[in-house]
């Protein structure tokens, strides 16, 4: 917030009101930065009157907002601060929210097993307090379905949990998600159209659709138009969805809309517009969260350090008090030495476990990269229209550096660069794109001129070393 509130005005009741009404109102209106900064202020006021519940609630709210901004590591640090003080017995709803945010962060970081473990904790706890927890339970099923999209058996697993979510509540938003799923992963236009019709039929009866849910529903309709070949109507709805995402600063959805609009223009053979939106997509991904960092990051990071330092100081004071109260007798010294040695042994074991875990995650990361490489190669071999966009996602630096040299390159030239980077020969490229090898050689020659590559420099080596 631009101006600090008067701290003298804040008691427990007023802080509760601001956290549960004002902050929620900001979020509903898409004013996420305002909600974040107000939450920081409210924690400060809660600390001054030792209102522990509001401090913990504020940490969870900040963690949730940081997750939306894509600041997953910072979000996890705030969750750790909150989680120490919340149990399933004393505050079930807040614990459910903590499980949900943990899962979303790990899912975004592609740590699927970790994400699913938290969603499962939430599902088990939600089932204990039904029907009051049905909204939580349905959301956990949706999030678990999304997490499974990063696994090999994503088709069956994700569908199971999406349908479980709809069994709990038949909402327009969840039908839209299901429609999107059938289009993207099952290529089933009939099923997608069926569930989108169900989505539309409920919209008139449902008056609680949030702005974010509306953007996803618009995107689902646009995806169906695109799949049916109605690219103009698809572009119109993508733009409407994009406008909402901009207002709410939903960076992931903004990026997706740019990508889909570029693909739609490419199908319309409007290469200039397709290139413009592909360029926007590339540049947006590079500058994502810049506005957030400028307005909020320094405030939130500084505040986080203060909270962690405060917690560590409290721990240190507690230890000092305990040590000071211990007798100076030989027995006390013996006990201290014993427990210190035991703690050191535990730390060694924990460090070994962390090293093993990191090694395992590195292996998994390498496997994912290999899998992504094979996927990109297969798209190229099949001359799939999605090849260039997928290449951009897996190797974002390549096209960015090329466009920095010459931003006027069109998609066909970027596609050629991508194939060269993948080390395809002229014969391979000709075969995959259904042209003569001489045509490929001519395209390479023109590409050299546009990128100002000297004749004595090997084109493949030059692009690979970007």
């Amino acid at each position: 917030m631009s101006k600090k509130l008067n701290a003298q005005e804040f008691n427990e009741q007023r802080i509760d009101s601001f956290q549960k009404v004002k902050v929620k109102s900001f979020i509903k209106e898409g004013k996420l930065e305002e909600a974040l900064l107000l939450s920081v202020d409210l924690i400060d006021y809660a600390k001054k009157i030792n209102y522990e519940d509001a401090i913990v609630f504020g940490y969870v709210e900040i963690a949730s907002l940081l997750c939306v901004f894509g600041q997953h590591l910072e979000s996890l640090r705030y969750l750790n601060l909150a989680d120490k003080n919340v149990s399933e017995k004393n505050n079930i709803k807040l614990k459910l929210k903590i499980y949900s945010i943990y899962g979303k962060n790990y899912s975004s970081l592609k740590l699927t097993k970790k994400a699913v473990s938290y969603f499962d904790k939430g599902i088990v706890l939600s089932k204990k307090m039904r029907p009051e927890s049905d909204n939580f339970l349905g959301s956990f099923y949706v999030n678990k379905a999304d997490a499974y999209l990063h696994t090999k058996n994503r088709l069956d697993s994700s569908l199971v949990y999406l349908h479980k979510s709809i069994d709990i509540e038949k909402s327009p938003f969840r039908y839209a998600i299901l429609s999107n799923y059938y289009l993207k992963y099952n290529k089933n236009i009939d099923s997608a159209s069926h569930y989108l019709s169900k989505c539309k039929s409920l919209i008139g009866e449902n008056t609680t659709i949030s702005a974010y849910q509306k953007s996803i529903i618009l995107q689902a309709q646009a995806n169906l138009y695109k799949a049916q070949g109605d690219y103009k109507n698809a572009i119109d709805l993508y733009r409407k969805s994009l406008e909402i995402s901009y207002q709410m600063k939903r960076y992931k959805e903004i990026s997706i809309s740019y990508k889909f609009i570029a693909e739609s223009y490419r199908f319309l053979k409007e290469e200039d517009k397709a290139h413009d939106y592909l360029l926007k997509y590339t540049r947006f991904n590079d500058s994502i969260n810049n506005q957030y960092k400028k307005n909020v990051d320094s405030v939130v990071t500084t505040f986080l350090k203060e909270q962690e330092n405060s917690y560590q100081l409290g721990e240190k004071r507690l230890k000092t008090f305990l040590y000071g109260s211990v007798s100076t007798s030989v027995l006390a010294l013996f006990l201290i030495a014993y427990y210190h040695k035991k703690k050191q042994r535990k730390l060694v074991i924990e460090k070994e476990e962390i090293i093993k875990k990191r090694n395992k995650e590195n292996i998994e990361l390498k496997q994912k990269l290999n899998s992504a490489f094979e996927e990109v190669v297969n798209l190229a071999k099949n001359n799939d229209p999605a090849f260039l966009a997928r290449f951009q996602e897996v190797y974002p630096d390549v096209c960015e550096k090329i466009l920095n040299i010459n931003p006027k390159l069109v998609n066909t030239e970027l596609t050629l660069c991508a194939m060269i980077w993948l080390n395809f020969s002229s014969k391979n490229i000709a075969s995959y794109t259904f042209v003569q090898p001489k045509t490929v050689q001519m395209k390479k020659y023109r590409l050299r001129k546009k990128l100002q590559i000297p004749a004595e420099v090997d084109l493949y080596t030059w692009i690979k070393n970007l």
Side-chain angles (χ1 to χ4, degrees):
M1 296 182 69
S2 59
K3 184 179 179 181
K4 278 272 186 181
L5 298 166
N6 187 349
Q8 294 179 347
E9 298 176 359
F10 280 84
N11 53 28
E12 290 187 5
Q13 185 177 2
R14 189 163 172 78
I15 290 173
D16 283 342
S17 175
F18 267 73
Q19 283 186 326
K20 296 173 183 177
V21 179
K22 189 65 175 177
V23 172
K24 297 295 182 187
S25 175
F26 276 147
I27 293 172
K28 187 174 181 181
E29 294 169 13
K31 298 177 180 178
L32 303 188
E33 291 179 3
E34 289 87 342
L36 192 60
L37 294 175
L38 177 56
S39 294
V40 169
D41 285 350
L42 292 171
I43 291 173
D44 270 342
Y45 301 144
K47 287 174 76 71
K48 288 174 182 176
I49 61 173
N50 297 316
Y51 187 17
E52 189 66 29
D53 288 349
I55 296 170
V56 174
F57 187 92
Y59 287 154
V60 175
E61 202 65 70
I62 291 172
S64 178
L65 289 162
L66 289 173
C67 182
V68 173
F69 280 123
Q71 304 295 309
H72 302 295
L73 298 181
E74 289 84 350
S75 175
L76 288 171
R77 287 166 67 187
Y78 272 101
L79 282 177
N80 289 337
L81 286 172
D83 201 21
K84 297 179 185 356
N85 299 290
V86 181
S87 69
E88 292 184 358
K89 291 182 179 179
N90 64 22
N91 198 327
I92 293 178
K93 287 188 177 180
L94 195 59
K95 195 69 174 179
L96 285 171
K97 188 167 183 177
I98 288 173
Y99 286 154
S100 175
I101 303 167
Y102 266 126
K104 289 176 183 177
N105 277 306
Y106 285 123
S107 183
S108 295
L109 293 168
K110 303 295 188 294
L111 298 173
T112 305
K113 288 184 179 179
K114 194 85 171 173
V116 170
S117 71
Y118 276 103
F119 293 143
D120 282 340
K121 287 180 182 179
I123 289 169
V124 171
L125 184 58
S126 298
K127 286 181 177 179
K128 291 180 181 179
M129 50 180 292
R130 293 191 70 182
E132 293 86 357
S133 64
D134 276 358
N135 188 46
F136 274 109
L137 182 58
S139 295
F140 278 120
Y141 282 140
V142 170
N143 290 324
K144 188 172 180 180
D146 184 64
Y148 271 123
L149 294 180
H150 305 307
T151 65
K152 291 182 180 179
N153 58 338
R154 64 189 181 191
L155 179 62
D156 294 333
S157 300
S158 292
L159 274 178
V160 166
Y161 290 107
L162 284 175
H163 281 289
K164 280 188 175 185
S165 171
I166 286 174
D167 287 341
I168 293 172
E169 181 189 4
K170 293 175 173 57
S171 71
F173 177 64
R174 290 176 186 172
Y175 277 129
I177 292 174
L178 192 56
S179 174
N180 269 334
Y181 180 88
Y182 273 107
L183 281 177
K184 185 172 182 180
Y185 298 104
N186 210 12
K187 309 297 182 186
N188 189 327
I189 295 178
D190 290 339
S191 294
S193 179
H194 169 72
Y195 287 112
L196 196 59
S197 295
K198 286 182 173 289
C199 164
K200 291 179 179 178
S201 68
L202 291 176
I203 288 176
E205 306 167 14
N206 193 314
T207 58
T208 60
I209 298 174
S210 68
Y212 168 69
Q213 291 175 343
K214 184 178 179 181
S215 72
I216 297 301
I217 292 169
L218 286 168
Q219 193 181 97
Q221 179 64 73
N223 289 339
L224 182 60
Y225 278 142
K226 184 156 76 79
Q228 293 170 334
D230 188 353
Y231 303 118
K232 289 185 178 180
N233 276 324
I235 290 169
D236 180 56
L237 292 183
Y238 282 137
R239 284 175 172 164
K240 290 180 180 178
S241 176
L242 178 62
E243 183 179 349
I244 295 172
S245 299
Y246 255 117
Q247 291 173 354
M248 299 192 69
K249 296 181 176 64
R250 302 288 303 203
Y251 299 117
K252 180 180 177 182
E253 282 71 32
I254 292 170
S255 178
I256 290 171
S257 293
Y258 278 144
K259 176 186 171 185
F260 287 165
I261 292 172
E263 288 178 357
S264 299
Y265 274 124
R266 190 177 183 190
F267 282 120
L268 286 171
K269 301 191 182 305
E270 296 186 32
E271 288 293 334
D272 288 344
K273 290 182 179 179
H275 177 265
D276 287 344
Y277 274 94
L278 187 60
L279 195 61
K280 286 181 180 181
Y281 168 74
T282 303
R283 288 176 175 170
F284 181 81
N285 282 344
D286 294 337
S287 62
I288 199 166
N289 286 352
N290 275 354
Q291 189 63 34
Y292 160 76
K293 288 180 180 296
K294 178 181 177 183
N295 294 337
V296 180
D297 190 44
S298 60
V299 175
V300 174
T301 303
T302 302
F303 182 72
L304 175 58
K305 289 178 181 177
E306 290 173 357
Q307 306 310 301
E308 290 177 332
N309 290 339
S310 175
Y311 178 81
Q312 290 169 2
L313 182 61
E315 291 280 291
K316 187 176 180 180
R317 286 174 177 169
L318 178 61
K319 289 178 181 177
T320 301
F321 171 78
L322 290 174
Y323 292 155
S325 65
V326 174
S327 170
T328 57
S329 66
V330 175
L331 178 62
L333 291 173
F334 172 78
L335 288 173
I336 291 172
Y338 170 77
Y339 284 112
H340 178 73
K341 186 176 180 180
K342 186 176 179 181
K343 184 177 180 181
Q344 290 297 109
R345 191 183 303 118
K346 184 179 178 182
L347 286 172
V348 170
I349 294 172
E350 287 176 348
K351 285 181 180 178
E352 289 176 349
E353 289 297 321
I354 291 171
I355 292 171
K356 287 180 182 178
K357 183 178 177 181
R358 286 178 178 172
N359 288 338
K360 183 179 178 182
E361 289 176 352
N362 286 335
I363 292 171
E364 290 176 351
L365 180 60
K366 289 178 181 178
Q367 290 173 342
K368 288 176 183 176
L369 289 173
N370 291 335
S371 175
F373 176 82
E374 291 175 3
E375 180 188 356
V376 170
V377 169
N378 287 332
L379 288 172
K381 288 181 177 180
N382 294 325
N383 198 31
D384 194 308
F387 162 66
L388 182 57
R390 183 61 178 142
F391 180 89
Q392 292 263 65
E393 291 176 351
V394 179
Y395 307 106
D397 292 343
V398 179
C399 289
E400 176 198 353
K401 291 177 180 178
I402 290 171
L403 287 170
N404 284 338
I405 296 170
N406 187 344
K408 294 183 180 180
L409 291 181
V410 297
N411 285 349
T412 53
E413 291 167 329
L414 290 174
T415 299
L416 177 60
C417 290
M419 287 187 165
I420 292 171
W421 191 91
L422 292 170
N423 208 32
F424 290 145
S425 65
S426 295
K427 185 178 179 181
N428 291 146
I429 296 171
S431 174
Y432 303 152
T433 57
F434 307 108
V435 298
Q436 294 298 320
K438 289 182 179 180
T439 304
V440 176
Q441 291 294 348
M442 181 58 68
K443 288 181 178 180
K444 285 183 177 180
Y445 172 75
R446 291 172 181 164
L447 186 63
R448 276 180 175 276
K449 292 184 68 177
K450 289 190 176 184
L451 295 175
Q452 299 179 352
I453 303 172
E456 67 273 11
V457 176
D458 180 71
L459 178 62
Y460 283 80
T461 303
W462 186 90
I463 290 180
K464 198 70 178 177
N465 290 335
L466 279 172

